[in-house]
Amino acid sequence: MLPNYLYETLPYGYMTAGAAAVVFTPGYVAAMSGALLILAGALVWILRSEHRRGDRHKLQLKSGVLPFWVYEIQPFAYVIAGLLCWQLSHNQFVYPFALIFIVVGAQVFVMRSSQRKHQLPQAQRMSHL
């Protein structure tokens, strides 16, 4: 068992390590490895978030045009696309678009995080009783 503070920060650590690999390590292999690490952190975050949602009944009533996984992975895909454009492109005209991708992805992530109604993890709920 991991301490709670470490367990809760793991997805963010994965995504940060992946972003650092994309940005600071040259080469296509490092960039793709970093992108996969960001994606792994995103999947862990999505699964935990979905499991802890307290408003699932409202979520089932709303169904959008995009399939569940496409909708959920969208902000992370924006950030990955922006980081890869920034690192792999040698054209200075691509950098503003890369920055826009990163900012939009971060904004969508923050908006979704703030709108979700999460419950405490099961172990923490039991300890509060």
Side-chain angles (χ1 to χ4, degrees), residues 59-81:
L59 180 68
Q60 292 173 352
L61 297 175
K62 299 180 201 173
S63 61
V65 177
L66 294 176
F68 172 78
W69 281 105
V70 174
Y71 176 79
E72 289 293 329
I73 209 74
Q74 190 178 18
F76 306 104
Y78 286 151
V79 171
I80 290 170

Side-chain angles (χ1 to χ4, degrees), residues 106-121:
Q107 181 183 15
V108 171
F109 175 75
V110 168
M111 287 172 45
R112 287 191 187 166
S113 295
S114 67
Q115 294 295 319
R116 295 193 178 188
K117 308 290 187 241
H118 286 158
Q119 298 173 348
L120 287 173

Side-chain angles (χ1 to χ4, degrees), residues 30-71:
M32 292 304 140
S33 298
L36 287 175
L37 196 53
I38 294 170
L39 189 61
L43 292 176
V44 170
W45 184 87
I46 290 167
L47 289 172
R48 286 184 188 177
S49 175
E50 193 60 28
H51 179 71
R52 294 175 181 171
R53 287 188 78 159
D55 58 351
R56 284 189 204 172
H57 62 282
K58 291 181 186 176
L59 180 68
Q60 292 173 352
L61 297 175
K62 299 180 201 173
S63 61
V65 177
L66 294 176
F68 172 78
W69 281 105
V70 174
Y71 176 79

